[in-house]
Amino acid sequence: MIKSPRGTRDLLPPDTALWNFVEAAVRDVFRAYNFHEIRTPIFESTELFARGVGEETDVVAKEMYTWYEGADPDTTLLGAWYQQRHARYAGTVRRTAAARQHISIDISGGSDTYLVELKRRPDIGVVDRLEARKHAWLASHPDSKPPKLILAVPTSEADRAKRMPLGEVILEALSVEPGHESPLSLTLRPENTAGVVRAYIEHKLWDRGLNKLFYIGPQFRRERPQKGRYRQFYQIGAEVIGPAPSGSESPARDAEILELLATLLDRVGITNWTLELNSIGCPADRARFNEALRQALAPVVEKMCADCQRRAVTNPLRVFDCKVPADQPIIETLPTITQFLDEDCRRHYEEVKSILNAVQIPYLENPRLVRGLDYYTRTAFEFTHGALGAQNAILGGGRYDGLSEALGGPAAPGIGFAIGEDRLVLALTESAELVLRKPDVYIAPLGAGMNREAARVARELRRHDLVVDLGDESFRLTKSFEAADKMGARYILIVGETEVAANAFALKHLASGEQVTVPRAELAQRILQK
Ligand code: AMP
């Protein structure tokens, strides 16, 4: 039997009715706040997420579904490497990461580790990159031999590469057919903010005054599946983005987004949520904070998990993403970002809180909330819900003032959020009663030629917004009754030769058993009456 892949699932009725209810309610709320829908592709260039979300985040480093497309792999640098070099290393490829311009490979076998960069047009940056990878690798494997660093380039580039200050980097030349670009690397979107900001830049949405956008759709992350965590999951999200003069930088936008969320959760029937709020400052604050974290981590980091050891070197802020229980007491002792906010960021944060107070939205300040994605600045938040258990974050979001520039666009401060729709629905299932609209009437065609007549009657009734289902002229009447019962229809309508000739039909109310003959012209009215 073929089953749905691990971490994915089928959404079936009656649950889909709840999903539709949620989405309809959410669309109403977005309309009231003047948000408009955007639909971006389900896959994008890998580079968008590497640059937009951050290479060191768990999402990008471990969880993306990525593949190559375009050039024939046998004629690309990666293909050439596999053909010409791979067999020489007595090891396993642990990781291949590719952006458009370079490919990184980790190989470990026996006591040796090789860190490889493939680069069609090598520049000095690639040597720095190898050095940085070596440091990160050593930090997470403290007792091991240093890895060997390898730069593989096409033969035609080898002479140029030799003239670069290579240090300990070993150069390898690969014969590659000329003129073939490296394959295009594509990724299933693990989140939608980067895609929305890309579209904002690509279509110059600032020119059209479109700066409040929402989306509803699937996202993909290769996480360990469990209740409330899937590999294909759905997010409902929104972004306010635009040039600073449009007001996109104002703390009023942050407060509006948070108030919208409170309204939205209330509207769909989620009570007992908690809003956790923090400010993670601007890049300058973060640089000071990261430095303080590095110092605070230095004496304790060896007691922490391998991921934290790597983070402590590459991006200390990400230590707060750690879920390992043994690390938590150490994380508790680390400094918090609050002490490092500059005057502007502090004022921004105070203003957000004062508007929230004015509109009576309760919140809990959590100075350790940093969110798992690199692009956030200033306001960061999560709404949690008790009934969800371990995966209790129902939504998260924050401000991302530098994201557009990081993706090559103009300055465009913004703030957004993503609700986990699966978790929202899960929280509702705990409380809500599912109301599926059942058929108003089941039409039972009786005898040869009656499918045609039944189809005509069904068409007339459906025009009156009735829910109608149909049997088949080959069914005996008892079979039609059983079918009508099973689907919970209110009425059964019999369409036989006599009825058609008289232009009046037998209509039976299934619960009471009461049966009447109703002229064709009055059928819809009669059924609508209940
Ligand atoms: P993030 O994009 O990581 O900020 O996530 C925003 C929200 O999406 C979270 O608060 C969750 O509700 C939801 N979410 C994230 N990852 C998953 C997943 N693997 N399965 C289900 N929901 C998820």
Side-chain angles (χ1 to χ4, degrees):
M1 192 182 28
I2 302 176
K3 294 188 172 171
S4 76
R6 197 167 127 78
T8 70
R9 60 200 182 126
D10 301 305
L11 302 174
L12 305 172
D15 290 355
T16 41
L18 194 51
W19 284 71
N20 283 324
F21 158 76
V22 164
E23 289 172 15
V26 159
R27 284 173 191 277
D28 282 349
V29 173
F30 281 134
R31 195 168 306 127
Y33 288 77
N34 196 30
F35 279 77
H36 294 277
E37 182 168 5
I38 182 168
R39 299 189 192 195
T40 63
I42 280 181
F43 58 89
E44 299 263 5
S45 322
T46 304
E47 197 186 352
L48 173 68
F49 304 113
R51 273 163 57 184
V53 178
E55 307 237 32
E56 273 307 317
T57 59
D58 279 358
V59 169
V60 172
K62 305 181 193 163
E63 297 169 0
M64 298 209 299
Y65 288 96
T66 295
W67 71 98
Y68 304 99
E69 204 170 278
D72 171 359
D74 286 347
T75 61
T76 64
L77 208 54
L78 182 62
W81 182 82
Y82 266 97
Q83 271 176 11
Q84 298 162 36
R85 311 297 310 187
H86 178 216
R88 303 188 190 184
Y89 301 106
T92 323
V93 174
R94 294 271 175 239
R95 191 176 91 104
T96 311
R100 208 182 157 89
Q101 299 302 335
H102 66 254
I103 300 173
S104 317
I105 305 175
D106 288 10
I107 311 165
S108 33
S111 59
D112 287 319
T113 296
Y114 303 89
L115 302 180
V116 186
E117 285 290 306
L118 306 182
K119 196 97 167 78
R120 185 165 280 272
R121 273 179 258 294
D123 53 31
I124 189 64
V126 75
V127 176
D128 295 343
R129 201 179 151 77
L130 276 167
E131 290 291 339
R133 284 175 62 197
K134 179 177 121 180
H135 289 300
W137 194 89
L138 281 175
S140 52
H141 304 79
D143 300 324
S144 315
K145 278 209 306 213
K148 297 204 168 68
L149 305 183
I150 293 166
L151 171 61
V153 303
T155 322
S156 56
E157 293 283 333
D159 281 344
R160 211 170 56 77
K162 270 186 215 145
R163 292 196 292 273
M164 296 183 342
L166 287 171
E168 58 182 297
V169 172
I170 304 161
L171 188 68
E172 287 183 349
L174 299 174
S175 57
V176 187
E177 283 185 34
H180 285 277
E181 291 310 313
S182 33
L184 185 60
S185 177
L186 298 171
T187 292
L188 289 183
R189 63 186 189 197
E191 59 91 60
N192 218 336
T193 299
V196 171
V197 176
R198 181 208 37 76
Y200 170 85
I201 299 167
E202 187 171 333
H203 306 288
K204 301 192 168 53
L205 292 186
W206 57 90
D207 275 350
R208 310 188 195 184
L210 282 177
N211 63 355
K212 288 168 123 182
L213 301 163
F214 79 89
Y215 58 82
I216 300 177
Q219 317 293 338
F220 306 85
R221 296 182 193 172
R222 192 185 277 109
E223 295 192 88
R224 197 170 55 75
Q226 61 189 87
K227 187 180 175 196
R229 195 201 271 158
Y230 311 97
R231 292 181 163 184
Q232 171 171 341
F233 60 100
Y234 293 78
Q235 286 186 334
I236 299 171
E239 318 291 346
V240 187
I241 177 169
S246 71
S248 58
E249 206 170 9
S250 164
R253 295 291 78 73
D254 308 41
E256 185 184 14
I257 281 277
L258 292 164
E259 192 268 329
L260 175 156
L261 281 165
T263 304
L264 195 154
L265 293 179
D266 287 345
R267 174 74 72 90
V268 297
I270 302 264
T271 47
N272 297 327
W273 44 262
T274 305
L275 160 57
E276 294 189 26
L277 190 63
N278 192 19
S279 173
I280 55 175
C282 47
D285 305 337
R286 283 245 284 286
R288 288 197 303 275
F289 180 49
N290 267 329
E291 202 35 56
L293 280 178
R294 258 194 204 99
Q295 282 175 23
L297 283 165
V300 288
V301 74
E302 73 216 35
K303 294 186 218 129
M304 302 182 80
C305 70
D307 277 342
C308 281
Q309 301 192 6
R310 179 174 48 81
R311 292 166 176 143
V313 181
T314 54
N315 191 348
L317 187 76
R318 298 267 69 91
V319 165
F320 290 104
D321 298 338
C322 177
K323 302 263 158 27
V324 175
D327 287 0
Q328 300 311 310
I330 301 176
I331 293 171
E332 286 295 308
T333 65
L334 295 175
T336 60
I337 181 82
T338 324
Q339 306 140 244
F340 296 87
L341 297 186
D342 67 17
E343 199 34 47
D344 282 351
C345 290
R346 194 183 309 279
R347 230 179 303 123
H348 186 101
Y349 188 35
E350 290 307 320
E351 182 62 12
V352 174
K353 288 187 283 182
S354 85
I355 302 177
L356 288 180
N357 293 337
V359 292
Q360 299 185 319
I361 304 294
Y363 55 86
L364 201 72
E365 288 184 72
N366 176 357
R368 289 178 207 283
L369 178 76
V370 297
R371 313 273 306 119
L373 315 176
D374 266 356
Y375 52 60
Y376 288 111
T377 53
R378 295 192 168 170
T379 309
F381 57 86
E382 265 176 20
F383 280 67
T384 54
H385 188 262
L388 287 174
Q391 305 303 321
N392 69 351
I394 207 161
L395 70 93
R399 182 165 272 289
Y400 45 79
D401 291 343
L403 181 56
S404 171
E405 285 125 301
L407 296 177
I415 179 162
F417 63 81
I419 305 174
E421 191 175 358
D422 306 74
R423 294 189 196 168
L424 186 65
V425 171
L426 200 64
L428 280 178
T429 334
E430 316 274 315
S431 55
E433 199 182 307
L434 286 183
V435 209
L436 258 198
R437 188 163 171 203
K438 304 263 174 68
D440 295 300
V441 59
Y442 179 92
I443 300 181
L446 200 61
M450 287 303 116
N451 274 348
R452 278 196 300 273
E453 298 300 331
R456 287 179 51 207
V457 179
R459 186 167 158 86
E460 286 159 25
L461 295 180
R462 284 174 178 147
R463 285 203 187 119
H464 288 88
D465 202 26
L466 288 167
V467 180
V468 180
D469 213 327
L470 290 170
D472 186 86
E473 61 189 25
S474 69
F475 292 180
R476 290 163 157 278
L477 203 49
T478 43
K479 179 163 171 182
S480 286
F481 268 94
E482 278 165 23
D485 250 354
K486 195 164 181 179
M487 63 180 68
R490 231 161 10 94
Y491 285 101
I492 189 164
L493 181 76
I494 293 153
V495 177
E497 241 170 85
T498 344
E499 283 83 0
V500 172
N503 215 19
F505 300 85
L507 181 70
K508 182 164 188 170
H509 188 256
L510 282 160
S512 64
E514 184 196 337
Q515 183 168 330
V516 283
T517 300
V518 185
R520 184 177 206 124
E522 293 165 26
L523 268 177
Q525 272 318 313
R526 179 72 196 218
I527 296 168
L528 279 168
Q529 273 168 18
K530 306 246 147 158

